[in-house]
Amino acid sequence: MYRRENNSPMPKSILAVAAILAILGIGSWIYQLIVGMQVTGLDNNVVWGLYIAFFFVVIGGGAALLAIVGISEFKNILSPDSKSRILLLSITTFIGGGILITIDLGNPIQVFRIATSFKFQSLLVWDFWLLALCFFLALFYLVKVRKDNSGGKVYGLISIAAALFLIVAESFLLSSMLGHHLWESGMTLISFLISAAVVGSAFILLLMPDNRTVRNILLATLVFSLIATLAEVFTGALTGNPETKTEMMLLLSGQGALYFWGQVLIGLILPLFLLLKSYKPIAIALLSIFGTLMGKVWLLALGQWVQGSLVYIPSLPELITIIGTSGIGVLLYGVLVKAFEPKASPKAEQTKMSVA
Amino acid sequence: MRYGMILDLKRCYGCNACTVICKQKNGTPKGVFWAKVYATEVGKYPQARREYLPTLCMHCANAPCVSVCPTGASYKREDGIVLVDESKCIGCRSCMLSCPYEARYFDFGAEASYFPGKEANPYEVAQASKRKKGTVNKCTLCVDRIDEGEIPACAQVCPTQARIFGDLESTELQKLIISRNGYQEKSVVGTDPSVYYLPR
Amino acid sequence: MNTKNHVNILPEVSRRSFLKGGLALTGASVLGGGALAGSALAASVSEKTGKSSKWVKSYCGSCIWANCGTEIKVVDGVAVEIRGNKEHPSNKGTLCPRGAAQLMNLYNPYRIKAPMKRTNPQKGLDVDPGWVEISWEEAMDTITEKIKEAQAKDPRKLMKMYGFAGNLHETPFVKLFTSIFDTPNYSMSCGPLCEVHHAPAMFNATFVDRIDVGHCNYLIAFGRNLGGSAMFASGPGRALSDAVDRGMKVVVVDPHATPDASKGEWIPIRPGTDTAMAMAMLHVILHELNTFDVDAMKNRSNAPYLIDEQGDYVRDQVSNKPLLWDEADNKAKAYDDPTLTNPALLGEYNVNGVSAVPAFVKLRESVATSTPEWAEEISSVPAEEIRRITQELVEAACIGSTITIDGVEFPYRPVAVTTGRGSANNMQGMRFYILTNIINLVLGAIGVPGSLVCAANARYLFEDGMMREYPIAYYTTDREEKFSIPQNDYTIKQFYPLSRFPILGGTMGAILDPQKYYLDYDIEVFFPYGANPFINDADFETTVKAFQKIPFVFTLAYHMDETTMFCDIVLPECSHLERYQNRPIEETMVVGRDTIALNGLNYKEPAVDLIYNTRQYDDIILELADRLGLTPKLNAIYNSFYRLSGEFSLDPGKKYTYQEMLEIRLKGFSGDASKGVEYFREHGFLMKNKPLKECYEYYFFKGNGRLPIYNWRDFSAGKALKRSLDKFGVKVPGWDNMDEVMREYTPVPKWFDNYLTNPSDEFDMTVANWKLSPRNLGLGGQDDNVWLREIVETWEYDGLNIQINPITAAQKGLKTGDKVIVESQHGGTVEGILQVTNLIHPEVLGFPAQAGRVSQFMNPISHKGPNYNRLLTYKEGYILADNGSISVSARVKIRKAGVK
């Protein structure tokens, strides 16, 4: 039976919807630029919110994609076309990440300064350069793959390393912030790695809905994620210091409950259930990404929560901007796919399928 | 040379004169308090009392906000004062996350006036240029006044003289810190604040 | 850069150094600023910005003690900064939060911008007056016309009202209004809740006593702010801080733990029961410890005065002088008999055929059974605590030791028992304040270093060998002579012979029903200025009706407050940064070594051009006087008020502007033609400090006048009142039981149960109220100052919440954040948000500051929070019978909002 690999150009209807969302998102961002970031749900206590959470999700996923392509140099799990697609998606996420960061800045006109400061004391500068590195690696990788069907083992290794560094840099970025005990432990890095794996697998599942290996990988990462999340939250709630306890209780039954249970029930258990019972790949992938986003939102919201205040809730403009950015991502991917029309023959496809 | 402040908790009655003068002198918008006084109660009735913790930016020797800043907008002067060059600030707010003392504020572009629905008053208009939407602001230790040979507004205003400004490396201040068991807030995080507290 | 110049700490030696020759430590000890302030004075034009910039000297206007010198930075005509004047010896460059916030008072868009006339004849707190802008000319024409019309019928038909509602006591024409405009009728919205002046007058010949914390080592405060709780920057805060640093022990007896208490010891007490605790303290001193200042009793008090069975002094039949018993030769002698050597404090004597005992015996007997155990029942203060602090107090009093100041040897009594509004403005409060001063006197700790001392330039006379403050001289005699039915005036003071202020509840009642109050004329023109009885007092509903009844009401106001809602014409007032004014510099309440001798004069003129079409009060008065042909009278009164004569006095026939009058006043004060406005403009103030020895009235009284441990004077005032009432056969409204009225005039301490202490099933709690640093008396527009409100709501621990003890909260199933309704025994209710805190007595609900403004024309931020005064009452029968003030407390019950 012929198994769909979804490497046809994106349907126009999806692109149209994405375009509308993108326009809405850009409008919302312009509104934010004019009125100021008071339109967000952020305040002087909670300064990083949905934009950064989504940035972590997307960049983590993108890094995972790059790493998987790198891994494929050692284990032939991907066809050259799949590699191209995955790299295209990876590039899209890096660009999307850049957009998200820019949206999150209060004074984006000065954003170039990150690139010109060379201030490597700052993890943010590391983050920027690693992101740039990954972007260019993915780009050159794409060129290489299109030319030679492969990047070679060295290039693969470099890509894996760069992707890992990017994820580590991001988790360190949080962990290095003084006075946020929720972020201090190694759990942050673990959760960043697991999220990257979940989102990466989900992304690939979107590209290869019928790929059983991808399904199994996602299943495994979701299980890991569930264990890690429950372990972190319940450990904190049952044995943590009073501060951690309070925060975890907020997550379990307080104002943060929506995020936590949203992640656990909708973002972890539901896709797991769907994976095992009735297979709906697109839904599973999107739910997994959603769950990871929820996880990042509560990590940020509770990490910055102060006694006596309300737990962060994103504002409508923030939500619209985020959805719009996703639209831009879809649109961008669609354009990129069109630009890099696959040259692969049905035969090559068959070969890859058999591997799967 | 290391400018800093010693806050004598024995002399602080939590009146918030510092909180107000800081707003007034620096023209900070609603909700922004470069200087402030945390008030708490301790003990059970009838053995209960109030405690006050006046604060400002700690102008840390190892300022995490300076190292975390990606553009160099947050910087430290030779004399120890930590400042933000708002023209370089991209508004990423990582400095705010890195600060364990809640000393930094972001300009959310909230309404310029304390009088919603009314025009900004002449004072607010005069102060407006001190603000830059989308950037981070903080206590400057009234660097403008220090450069003119004066002391910070909060140190001058304090009616009980609980805020003592000076060079922390001077013998007078060193002596005071040692003799009164002065300590730094959250010193475990290694920031080495230039603000010392004298216990009550 | 010399780092030493950047240390603002006072060097150890200066802070603690002894203050000699009346020279205050100047701001120069605040290192770093002194040298530069002078250069900052001059106006300069910045080369960079081309903006003109100057610092204008001024003084603060945010409270009633406007001592603090300020500087205002004006850039291109806009005031952009206020700071304390470092040269000023009072505040030494510092400010309190209220003073620091005054730019938002100046630039408050809710200010009144032009004269207004009401078009809706209906008046009410929620009625839109239909304001229409009019010209100053029209406004002044109408007002003049109305005054003329009314006064043509009877000059008394004009009434003035004053209070703590947004203006300062700085203008001379508040006090002088009635004499200039020839009416006896005035009222004060601040009076009923400010009964703190009688005991200081009796014991310190002063309007407000002050604590010499510069020397004090042990301080017990009943319901009193010591300068830190509601911060005063002019000296009290600094002095208290210095004293605590030095080791002074502070004991605060109060239903709530004040910031001051948190620097020492807090003794929680039931509101209105302070008298019981103080009687127990006196019991411990006189019966258990039996330790007191014998010399002070024999030679500085009326303790040896012989008292007959009727409670009167036993007098010499020829000279009519009170008699004492000299134990040296066992004879009765007049108090000023040169042979008097050893006056008896104990024993019973037969003099002139009557049996008499020394007053000391009466005092001792009055507290014979008031044991700490008895007081514990009433006040909830544990007996052992009362014993302990009394013992500590007596030990700290250093009875017998002396200190030499300015070459004068004074008794050294570094202790004080002090009383504030929370205790004095309460049931038996006037007696209580006197009682605490008796305790001080028994220990010899009054008018001497380390104790309670006088504040004002004391004016007094000696009578019967006793010191008598000038203004209270008429308590016993004049009021009986001048007692008239029908009453002459609406103040109702003649029924309350010990009152300092008009009786607001009486005045409002009289306006509504003159006959009932034995008045035979109506008030037709009413001028409330800086007065707000709707917010600052109880029973606003009655006040509303009274205001509605008066045909013509006008005011001069800063913002459209509740009072303006009842005015026919509202004149717009300059903010205090736009006025020409002067104010004496003199520290009150709490003094340290660097502030006790301060005496001087502050001056200010507008820091910026008028923002709106406003005028200041003094201009209005001058114009009104001129229009009514009263200028010569006004000038003469002004001269005598400031004791101006000769070169520096007003020519009665000439019409002056207020600025011209100020120039003469300033020169009159300095006594120097070169020290007029020019001088004051440059410096902001001029000091003429008192010699240090004159700060302690012992220096004047010793050997001349004694102080009362036996309160014969008030006792006599009560008897005189009774005689007058009987003579005219009148009954004061609300006085159904004359015994209850007359018992207030007791000459020795006595405890009575009252409506506050009587337990009731329904109203099971009492309420207490206090000042906050960012909100004390509500002067200077504190309720709608955006910065102060933000601070109160954000950083002030007490905020605008209703406080309850956790034990009580648990019993009642209440928690922090609950919306609650508090209902008073008098019928008033308020709604608020609950805050559970250990800082309050379990039987008390605490109401910090005051809030809940209702005028729709004020900044809406002022509407938040509960209005405490709605729980109180000035109803007939509830007005405190001796002094005419009202209790600051009431019994209440609490319930969750929405629950019946």
Side-chain angles (χ1 to χ4, degrees), chain A residues 118-298:
Chain A
F118 301 108
K119 191 168 166 275
F120 287 102
Q121 257 180 311
S122 165
L123 275 167
L124 222 75
V125 172
W126 278 101
D127 194 30
F128 169 78
W129 285 112
L130 285 169
L131 181 60
L133 177 67
C134 287
F135 171 77
F136 286 111
L137 278 177
L139 198 62
F140 291 128
Y141 212 145
L142 180 69
V143 174
K144 257 179 124 69
V145 166
R146 282 173 58 83
K147 209 167 118 196
D148 311 332
N149 280 349
S150 157
K153 286 212 159 73
V154 173
Y155 210 90
L157 211 58
I158 293 172
S159 297
I160 295 168
L164 271 176
F165 273 128
L166 181 58
I167 296 166
V168 171
E170 260 148 37
S171 85
F172 276 20
L173 192 62
L174 275 195
S175 299
S176 67
M177 296 303 184
L178 294 176
H180 300 275
H181 61 100
L182 194 59
W183 304 340
E184 278 164 8
S185 76
M187 201 57 215
T188 307
L189 179 54
I190 307 263
S191 94
F192 266 70
L193 289 169
I194 293 174
S195 322
V198 170
V199 178
S201 330
F203 276 156
I204 299 177
L205 194 64
L206 286 175
L207 300 181
M208 302 180 226
D210 300 327
N211 189 313
R212 188 160 285 278
T213 312
V214 176
R215 264 173 73 177
N216 289 339
I217 292 172
L218 183 58
L219 184 72
T221 57
L222 283 175
V223 169
F224 273 128
S225 180
L226 184 62
I227 292 168
T229 305
L230 293 179
E232 181 175 11
V233 172
F234 280 96
T235 306
L238 296 173
T239 68
N241 62 37
E243 213 178 333
T244 315
K245 241 182 201 165
T246 316
E247 288 167 7
M248 291 308 155
M249 287 318 290
L250 272 178
L251 262 190
L252 288 171
S253 58
Q255 294 162 25
L258 211 62
Y259 299 136
F260 176 70
W261 294 111
Q263 178 194 11
V264 170
L265 297 178
I266 302 171
L268 291 167
I269 292 178
L270 184 58
L272 277 171
F273 177 81
L274 291 178
L275 274 165
L276 296 170
K277 292 286 170 189
S278 64
Y279 187 59
K280 292 206 171 57
I282 303 295
I284 289 166
L286 291 178
L287 284 173
S288 305
I289 296 169
F290 172 79
T292 314
L293 180 61
M294 285 296 103
K296 288 285 171 278
V297 171
W298 72 246

Side-chain angles (χ1 to χ4, degrees), chain C residues 793-857:
Chain C
E793 289 180 26
T794 314
W795 297 108
E796 175 57 57
Y797 190 74
D798 292 346
L800 296 174
N801 304 313
I802 300 172
Q803 299 190 346
I804 192 169
N805 186 290
I807 303 161
T808 322
Q811 281 165 2
K812 293 182 180 287
L814 297 167
K815 60 179 190 310
T816 294
D818 279 353
K819 200 177 202 188
V820 291
I821 291 170
V822 178
E823 188 182 339
S824 158
Q825 65 183 133
H826 307 303
T829 59
V830 297
E831 207 176 272
I833 306 296
L834 207 61
Q835 178 184 1
V836 177
T837 169
N838 282 287
L839 302 170
I840 190 103
H841 191 286
E843 294 164 26
V844 177
L845 291 175
F847 286 72
Q850 177 80 273
R853 303 299 293 259
V854 295
S855 166
Q856 293 309 308
F857 294 89

Side-chain angles (χ1 to χ4, degrees), chain C residues 117-148:
Chain C
K117 172 172 90 174
R118 161 188 296 273
T119 54
N120 181 357
Q122 281 228 303
K123 294 175 181 178
L125 283 172
D126 48 3
V127 177
D128 184 351
W131 296 123
V132 171
E133 206 176 305
I134 53 172
S135 69
W136 271 102
E137 202 52 37
E138 183 187 340
M140 294 303 286
D141 282 350
T142 312
I143 291 166
T144 315
E145 195 53 38
K146 293 284 182 185
I147 294 177
K148 265 187 190 161

Side-chain angles (χ1 to χ4, degrees), chain C residues 140 144 148 180-181 618-635 653-656:
Chain C
M140 294 303 286
T144 315
K148 265 187 190 161
I180 296 168
F181 294 94
D618 312 83
D619 285 343
I620 307 294
I621 296 303
L622 294 188
E623 183 174 339
L624 271 182
D626 186 52
R627 283 165 173 261
L628 295 166
L630 298 170
T631 298
K633 189 180 177 192
L634 181 144
N635 288 355
K654 196 177 150 192
K655 195 192 161 202
Y656 294 89

Side-chain angles (χ1 to χ4, degrees), chain C residues 70-264:
Chain C
T70 58
E71 296 174 307
I72 298 142
K73 188 179 190 178
V74 180
V75 177
D76 277 354
V78 176
V80 296
E81 191 178 338
I82 296 185
R83 66 182 182 194
N85 180 354
K86 287 190 289 266
E87 310 297 323
H88 201 290
S90 284
N91 56 315
K92 295 184 169 180
T94 70
L95 287 175
C96 72
R98 309 174 296 281
Q102 291 308 308
L103 289 181
M104 283 303 191
N105 178 270
L106 172 67
Y107 295 119
N108 177 1
Y110 289 87
R111 284 180 56 183
I112 305 171
K113 301 170 177 77
M116 298 281 183
K117 172 172 90 174
R118 161 188 296 273
T119 54
N120 181 357
Q122 281 228 303
K123 294 175 181 178
L125 283 172
D126 48 3
V127 177
D128 184 351
W131 296 123
V132 171
E133 206 176 305
I134 53 172
S135 69
W136 271 102
E137 202 52 37
E138 183 187 340
M140 294 303 286
D141 282 350
T142 312
I143 291 166
T144 315
E145 195 53 38
K146 293 284 182 185
I147 294 177
K148 265 187 190 161
E149 243 172 58
Q151 288 202 312
K153 287 180 250 172
D154 187 334
R156 297 175 300 173
K157 284 176 175 287
L158 171 66
M159 182 155 93
K160 163 89 190 217
M161 186 189 227
Y162 184 65
F164 289 171
N167 297 284
L168 301 171
H169 293 328
E170 58 187 5
T171 163
F173 298 120
V174 160
K175 269 187 191 158
L176 301 180
F177 184 92
T178 48
S179 46
I180 296 168
F181 294 94
D182 193 28
T183 172
N185 287 319
Y186 73 107
S187 179
M188 285 177 89
S189 64
C190 53
L193 291 167
C194 195
E195 190 4 77
V196 292
H197 303 294
H198 186 63
M202 288 180 74
F203 287 84
N204 295 101
T206 197
F207 189 61
V208 184
D209 60 24
R210 47 187 200 170
I211 312 161
D212 177 26
V213 298
H215 290 92
C216 186
N217 291 333
Y218 198 92
L219 176 57
I220 302 176
F222 283 87
R224 177 164 178 159
N225 166 38
L226 297 174
S229 293
M231 182 58 69
F232 291 102
S234 55
R238 193 170 69 241
L240 177 65
S241 230
D242 287 348
V244 171
D245 257 3
R246 186 173 48 79
M248 181 182 77
K249 170 95 187 265
V250 175
V251 178
V252 173
V253 186
D254 201 299
H256 90 115
T258 65
D260 294 339
S262 299
K263 301 294 180 190

